[in-house]
């Protein structure tokens, strides 16, 4: 049973957390491109898809700690320091994703959407002033801040992965 639970836990981590880390990392540069080229439907579409990937796979990612706890319980390592640290870092990564990354992605998308709408309205009604009315809400600084939080999220997951592989102090035969 341990091998089954461990396999499901690892597969869930690869399938759920992997896409979130990649899509979240791709979001800031894609958002910068969309901000630099207002009216580029392809750039805005890319940002929307990346955000959707992050949201959906973040939800699917709940399976990772569920199977992780089941595996740890069966292996009898719930009290091991390496696992407690991993659990704490996983919880912190979830908070960073839910409170810092996803809301900032949403805010950037909403800002880009309002820029897009301003451009569409400005085409017939006289100009660039209207086109950049939404630009004051979001900008490169926002994407840089998002990139920082995304990097923190990815660093936390990398640390958890290393702890899960190395398992310092473990007596279960790493």
């Amino acid at each position: 049973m341990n091998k089954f639970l461990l396999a499901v836990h690892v597969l869930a981590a690869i399938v759920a957390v992997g896409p979130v880390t990649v899509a979240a990392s791709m979001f800031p540069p894609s958002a910068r491109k969309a901000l630099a080229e207002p009216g580029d439907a392809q750039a805005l579409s890319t940002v929307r898809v990346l955000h959707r990937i992050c949201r959906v796979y973040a939800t699917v990612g709940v399976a990772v700690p569920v199977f992780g706890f089941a595996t740890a319980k069966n292996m009898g390592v719930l009290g091991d320091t390496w696992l407690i640290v991993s659990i704490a870092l996983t919880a912190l990564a979830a908070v960073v994703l839910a409170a810092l990354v996803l809301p900032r992605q949403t805010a950037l998308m909403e800002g880009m959407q309002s820029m897009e709408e301003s451009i569409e309205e400005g085409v017939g009604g006289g100009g660039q002033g209207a086109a950049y009315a939404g630009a004051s809400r979001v900008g490169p600084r926002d994407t840089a801040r998002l990139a920082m939080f995304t990097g923190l999220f990815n660093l936390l997951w990398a640390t958890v992965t290393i702890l899960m592989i190395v398992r310092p102090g473990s007596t279960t035969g790493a």
Side-chain angles (χ1 to χ4, degrees):
M1 187 63 150
N2 285 349
K3 289 182 181 184
F4 171 76
L5 289 172
L6 184 59
V8 172
H9 172 63
V10 170
L11 286 172
I14 291 168
V15 169
V17 178
V20 173
T21 58
V22 172
S25 296
M26 292 173 64
F27 189 97
S30 297
R32 276 191 290 278
K33 181 176 189 255
L35 287 168
E37 301 171 13
D40 182 352
Q42 177 76 25
L44 188 57
S45 177
T46 298
V47 170
R48 285 186 186 129
V49 167
L50 291 171
H51 181 59
R52 188 175 313 126
I53 289 169
C54 290
R55 278 192 344 257
V56 169
Y57 282 93
T59 304
V60 173
V62 171
V64 176
V66 168
F67 284 102
F69 274 113
T71 303
K73 184 178 180 220
N74 271 9
M75 292 176 70
V77 296
L78 276 174
D80 286 9
T81 304
W82 66 270
L83 186 64
I84 293 168
V85 171
S86 293
I87 291 168
L89 293 175
T90 298
L92 184 57
V95 167
V96 168
L97 182 64
L100 300 173
V101 174
L102 293 176
R104 281 177 170 73
Q105 285 182 351
T106 301
L108 277 163
M109 281 189 3
E110 288 171 355
M112 287 184 263
Q113 185 65 39
S114 69
M115 284 175 57
E116 189 78 18
E117 290 167 2
S118 295
I119 288 171
E120 289 171 6
E121 291 170 7
V123 168
Q128 290 294 88
Y132 293 104
S136 62
R137 289 184 228 159
V138 294
R141 287 186 75 173
D142 298 307
T143 62
R145 200 169 292 121
L146 174 59
M148 176 187 68
F149 291 129
T150 300
L152 176 61
F153 170 76
N154 290 343
L155 181 63
L156 288 167
W157 271 115
T159 304
V160 168
T161 302
I162 291 167
L163 284 171
M164 291 288 162
I165 293 168
V166 174
R167 301 184 303 187
S170 174
T171 58
T172 59

